[in-house]
Amino acid sequence: MGPGLNDMRRRIFLASATATPVFLSVWPTRADDYPVRSVRLVVPFGPGGVADLTARAVGRILGQRLGQSLVVDNRPGAGGVAAGETVAKAAPDGYTLLLLSNATAVSRGLFKHLPFDARKDFAPISLLSRYDLAFIVPGLSSFESLQAWLLAARQRPGELNVGTVNVGSTQHLAAELFRLSAHVDLQVVPFNGTPAVLTALRSGQIDAAVESLPPIMAHIRAQSIRPLAVLGETRSPPLPQVPTVAQGAGIEGFNVSSWTALAAPVKTPRDILARLAREVRELMELAEVKKELADLNVQARASTPEQLATLLDSEITRWGEVIARAGIPRQ
C-alpha cells in the first residue's frame, strides 16, 4: 500500500509540474506577456449606434497594437447594467474590458439596486471620445434663437415641450437640467428612440428636442431640423456656427456632452492597466482614428486613468442630483 501511495503522489506532482506553464501562459500577469489571446470589449449598447461604432473603430486599432483581436460583445440594457455586471464579475486578467459611458454614471442615481458599484468595481483606463448634444427645432420653426424659444416658454408657462429619448438617458437628463437651470416651466416628453423623437418634432407634436449630434447630423444638413444651440461648454466642431446654451441663452456654466471610456475589472494587474492606458493614449493621436471618429461626428479624446476616475465621480454626483431635483422615480 505504501509504494502505491508514493507512486500516486509522484504522478500528481508530475501532473502539477506539467500543468503550471500552461496556467501561466493562459493567465499572464505581466504586461510584457499580455495579451496571448483575444480581448473582449463589453459594450452596453446594441450594434450600429454611435457608442458601438466608436468601440469598434478604437477596438480595431487597439487590437492591432496589442497583436490580438479585440472582440466587441454587445450587452444592451437600461443604464448599462447588464454590461457593467458582466465586467464586474469577470476575471481581472485584462481579457474583459468595459465601454464606460454617461449611462454608467447615471445608473447610480436611477436604480435602487445595482449589481455593481461604478466607483469601486471598475479600474479606469482612459477616456475615448466625446460627442455633443443639441437643442433642435423643426426646420420651418419660427424660432431663430434659443433665447427667443425661452422667451416664448416663459410667456406661456407649461405649454411648450421638449422631446428626448428614454427616461434616464443623457438626452432626457440634459433636458431636465436645462429646465431647472433656465427656471422655466416646460414639459420634457420622452420617446422610445431617436426616430420617434424626430417624427414627433417634424409633425409638430413637440416644440423642440434634445438629441445627440451623431444620429441627427444628416437631418440638420437636409434642413428638416435646425439646431438652436449645442449643450457643451464650447461650440461643436461639426456645427461651429451654432452657439452654446451659455452663449445663446445666457445660462452660464451649462455643459452637457456624451462620452465613452475604457475600464477593466478593479483588480486587473496594474502593469496591464498601464499598458492599455499607454496604447489608448497613443492611438487616439493617430490621424486615421481622429478622422474615423470625426466621420461619426465624434471627437477623439484620451485621458489619464486619474482624469477618468474624476470625471466618473463628478458625473455620478451631478446626475444623481439632477434625478433627485427633477423628481424622476428611481427604478
Side-chain angles (χ1 to χ4, degrees), residues 16 61 92 105 114 116 129 156 188 192 207 218:
S16 300
I61 306 299
L114 285 174
F116 60 84
S129 70
R156 298 152 54 190
V188 177
N192 186 23
D207 303 296

Side-chain angles (χ1 to χ4, degrees), residues 181 244-255:
S181 301
T244 65
V245 167
Q247 294 168 339
I251 304 175
E252 295 300 327
F254 194 93
N255 178 21

Side-chain angles (χ1 to χ4, degrees), residues 232-257:
E233 186 177 19
T234 60
R235 296 194 180 206
S236 179
L239 296 172
Q241 75 281 9
V242 177
T244 65
V245 167
Q247 294 168 339
I251 304 175
E252 295 300 327
F254 194 93
N255 178 21
V256 178
S257 62

Side-chain angles (χ1 to χ4, degrees), residues 84 88 98 100-101 103-108 114-124 263-264 266 309 312-313 316:
L98 174 65
L100 288 176
S101 73
T104 314
V106 168
S107 64
R108 178 69 175 266
L114 285 174
F116 60 84
D117 186 325
R119 285 186 171 110
K120 297 179 180 179
D121 291 335
F122 305 125
V266 70
L312 180 61
D313 187 67
I316 288 172

Side-chain angles (χ1 to χ4, degrees), residues 6 37 44 48 62 124 177 236 271:
N6 288 336
R37 55 187 171 87
L62 179 58
L177 180 60
S236 179
D271 54 351

